[in-house]
PDB file of all heavy atoms in Angstrom:
ATOM      1  N   ILE A  31     -19.907   9.966 -25.030  1.00  0.00           N
ATOM      2  CA  ILE A  31     -20.269  10.649 -26.217  1.00  0.00           C
ATOM      3  C   ILE A  31     -20.206   9.671 -27.454  1.00  0.00           C
ATOM      4  O   ILE A  31     -19.705   8.550 -27.367  1.00  0.00           O
ATOM      5  CB  ILE A  31     -19.363  11.827 -26.567  1.00  0.00           C
ATOM      6  CG1 ILE A  31     -17.893  11.380 -26.739  1.00  0.00           C
ATOM      7  CG2 ILE A  31     -19.530  12.909 -25.641  1.00  0.00           C
ATOM      8  CD1 ILE A  31     -16.778  12.341 -27.186  1.00  0.00           C
ATOM      9  N   SER A  32     -20.720  10.036 -28.577  1.00  0.00           N
ATOM     10  CA  SER A  32     -20.765   9.283 -29.742  1.00  0.00           C
ATOM     11  C   SER A  32     -19.293   9.220 -30.340  1.00  0.00           C
ATOM     12  O   SER A  32     -18.599  10.251 -30.306  1.00  0.00           O
ATOM     13  CB  SER A  32     -21.693   9.811 -30.921  1.00  0.00           C
ATOM     14  OG  SER A  32     -22.971   9.599 -30.539  1.00  0.00           O
ATOM     15  N   GLY A  33     -18.933   8.162 -30.904  1.00  0.00           N
ATOM     16  CA  GLY A  33     -17.591   8.051 -31.433  1.00  0.00           C
ATOM     17  C   GLY A  33     -17.598   8.207 -32.978  1.00  0.00           C
ATOM     18  O   GLY A  33     -18.254   8.994 -33.350  1.00  0.00           O
ATOM     19  N   PHE A  34     -16.699   7.517 -33.547  1.00  0.00           N
ATOM     20  CA  PHE A  34     -16.546   7.635 -34.951  1.00  0.00           C
ATOM     21  C   PHE A  34     -17.617   7.002 -35.833  1.00  0.00           C
ATOM     22  O   PHE A  34     -17.634   7.034 -37.058  1.00  0.00           O
ATOM     23  CB  PHE A  34     -15.147   7.201 -35.522  1.00  0.00           C
ATOM     24  CG  PHE A  34     -14.096   8.042 -34.816  1.00  0.00           C
ATOM     25  CD1 PHE A  34     -13.310   7.577 -33.746  1.00  0.00           C
ATOM     26  CD2 PHE A  34     -13.705   9.255 -35.293  1.00  0.00           C
ATOM     27  CE1 PHE A  34     -12.382   8.306 -33.177  1.00  0.00           C
ATOM     28  CE2 PHE A  34     -12.698  10.007 -34.721  1.00  0.00           C
ATOM     29  CZ  PHE A  34     -12.085   9.386 -33.616  1.00  0.00           C
ATOM     30  N   GLY A  35     -18.452   6.108 -35.105  1.00  0.00           N
ATOM     31  CA  GLY A  35     -19.565   5.355 -35.710  1.00  0.00           C
ATOM     32  C   GLY A  35     -18.964   4.412 -36.864  1.00  0.00           C
ATOM     33  O   GLY A  35     -19.611   4.254 -37.865  1.00  0.00           O
ATOM     34  N   ARG A  36     -17.861   3.761 -36.508  1.00  0.00           N
ATOM     35  CA  ARG A  36     -17.338   2.846 -37.346  1.00  0.00           C
ATOM     36  C   ARG A  36     -17.940   1.424 -37.141  1.00  0.00           C
ATOM     37  O   ARG A  36     -17.458   0.436 -37.893  1.00  0.00           O
ATOM     38  CB  ARG A  36     -15.879   2.696 -37.062  1.00  0.00           C
ATOM     39  CG  ARG A  36     -15.114   3.997 -37.706  1.00  0.00           C
ATOM     40  CD  ARG A  36     -13.646   3.672 -37.673  1.00  0.00           C
ATOM     41  NE  ARG A  36     -12.950   4.871 -38.004  1.00  0.00           N
ATOM     42  CZ  ARG A  36     -12.123   5.566 -37.180  1.00  0.00           C
ATOM     43  NH1 ARG A  36     -11.946   5.007 -35.909  1.00  0.00           N
ATOM     44  NH2 ARG A  36     -11.580   6.645 -37.505  1.00  0.00           N
ATOM     45  N   GLY A  37     -18.912   1.253 -36.294  1.00  0.00           N
ATOM     46  CA  GLY A  37     -19.555   0.047 -36.065  1.00  0.00           C
ATOM     47  C   GLY A  37     -18.565  -0.887 -35.327  1.00  0.00           C
ATOM     48  O   GLY A  37     -18.549  -2.159 -35.505  1.00  0.00           O
ATOM     49  N   SER A  38     -17.936  -0.395 -34.399  1.00  0.00           N
ATOM     50  CA  SER A  38     -17.186  -1.173 -33.392  1.00  0.00           C
ATOM     51  C   SER A  38     -18.018  -2.181 -32.728  1.00  0.00           C
ATOM     52  O   SER A  38     -17.620  -3.405 -32.471  1.00  0.00           O
ATOM     53  CB  SER A  38     -16.467  -0.384 -32.372  1.00  0.00           C
ATOM     54  OG  SER A  38     -15.884   0.751 -32.908  1.00  0.00           O
ATOM     55  N   LYS A  39     -19.268  -1.824 -32.446  1.00  0.00           N
ATOM     56  CA  LYS A  39     -20.272  -2.755 -31.752  1.00  0.00           C
ATOM     57  C   LYS A  39     -20.468  -4.035 -32.597  1.00  0.00           C
ATOM     58  O   LYS A  39     -20.494  -5.065 -32.012  1.00  0.00           O
ATOM     59  CB  LYS A  39     -21.553  -1.951 -31.639  1.00  0.00           C
ATOM     60  CG  LYS A  39     -22.404  -2.370 -30.497  1.00  0.00           C
ATOM     61  CD  LYS A  39     -23.704  -1.493 -30.323  1.00  0.00           C
ATOM     62  CE  LYS A  39     -23.348  -0.033 -29.988  1.00  0.00           C
ATOM     63  NZ  LYS A  39     -24.334   0.845 -30.295  1.00  0.00           N
ATOM     64  N   GLU A  40     -20.546  -3.747 -33.930  1.00  0.00           N
ATOM     65  CA  GLU A  40     -20.769  -4.923 -34.821  1.00  0.00           C
ATOM     66  C   GLU A  40     -19.604  -5.848 -34.739  1.00  0.00           C
ATOM     67  O   GLU A  40     -19.755  -7.039 -35.138  1.00  0.00           O
ATOM     68  CB  GLU A  40     -20.956  -4.455 -36.225  1.00  0.00           C
ATOM     69  CG  GLU A  40     -22.457  -3.814 -36.510  1.00  0.00           C
ATOM     70  CD  GLU A  40     -22.627  -2.529 -35.850  1.00  0.00           C
ATOM     71  OE1 GLU A  40     -21.665  -1.760 -35.597  1.00  0.00           O
ATOM     72  OE2 GLU A  40     -23.780  -2.194 -35.414  1.00  0.00           O
ATOM     73  N   LEU A  41     -18.523  -5.344 -34.505  1.00  0.00           N
ATOM     74  CA  LEU A  41     -17.207  -6.227 -34.411  1.00  0.00           C
ATOM     75  C   LEU A  41     -17.134  -6.859 -33.020  1.00  0.00           C
ATOM     76  O   LEU A  41     -16.197  -7.684 -32.753  1.00  0.00           O
ATOM     77  CB  LEU A  41     -15.963  -5.253 -34.586  1.00  0.00           C
ATOM     78  CG  LEU A  41     -15.833  -4.531 -35.872  1.00  0.00           C
ATOM     79  CD1 LEU A  41     -14.712  -3.524 -35.860  1.00  0.00           C
ATOM     80  CD2 LEU A  41     -15.773  -5.454 -37.079  1.00  0.00           C
ATOM     81  N   GLY A  42     -18.057  -6.561 -32.211  1.00  0.00           N
ATOM     82  CA  GLY A  42     -18.034  -7.281 -30.870  1.00  0.00           C
ATOM     83  C   GLY A  42     -17.213  -6.376 -29.840  1.00  0.00           C
ATOM     84  O   GLY A  42     -16.944  -6.886 -28.733  1.00  0.00           O
ATOM     85  N   ILE A  43     -16.641  -5.254 -30.264  1.00  0.00           N
ATOM     86  CA  ILE A  43     -15.965  -4.417 -29.277  1.00  0.00           C
ATOM     87  C   ILE A  43     -16.408  -2.966 -29.336  1.00  0.00           C
ATOM     88  O   ILE A  43     -15.627  -2.134 -29.708  1.00  0.00           O
ATOM     89  CB  ILE A  43     -14.440  -4.478 -29.671  1.00  0.00           C
ATOM     90  CG1 ILE A  43     -14.149  -4.571 -31.190  1.00  0.00           C
ATOM     91  CG2 ILE A  43     -13.739  -5.753 -29.064  1.00  0.00           C
ATOM     92  CD1 ILE A  43     -12.748  -4.149 -31.579  1.00  0.00           C
ATOM     93  N   PRO A  44     -17.499  -2.819 -28.733  1.00  0.00           N
ATOM     94  CA  PRO A  44     -18.006  -1.395 -28.608  1.00  0.00           C
ATOM     95  C   PRO A  44     -17.067  -0.637 -27.702  1.00  0.00           C
ATOM     96  O   PRO A  44     -16.705  -1.212 -26.750  1.00  0.00           O
ATOM     97  CB  PRO A  44     -19.510  -1.551 -28.001  1.00  0.00           C
ATOM     98  CG  PRO A  44     -19.448  -2.899 -27.240  1.00  0.00           C
ATOM     99  CD  PRO A  44     -18.499  -3.757 -28.145  1.00  0.00           C
TER     100      PRO A  44
END
Side-chain angles (χ1 to χ4, degrees):
I31 54 172
S32 289
F34 298 99
R36 288 193 187 114
S38 311
K39 207 178 292 167
E40 286 70 28
L41 301 173
I43 39 164

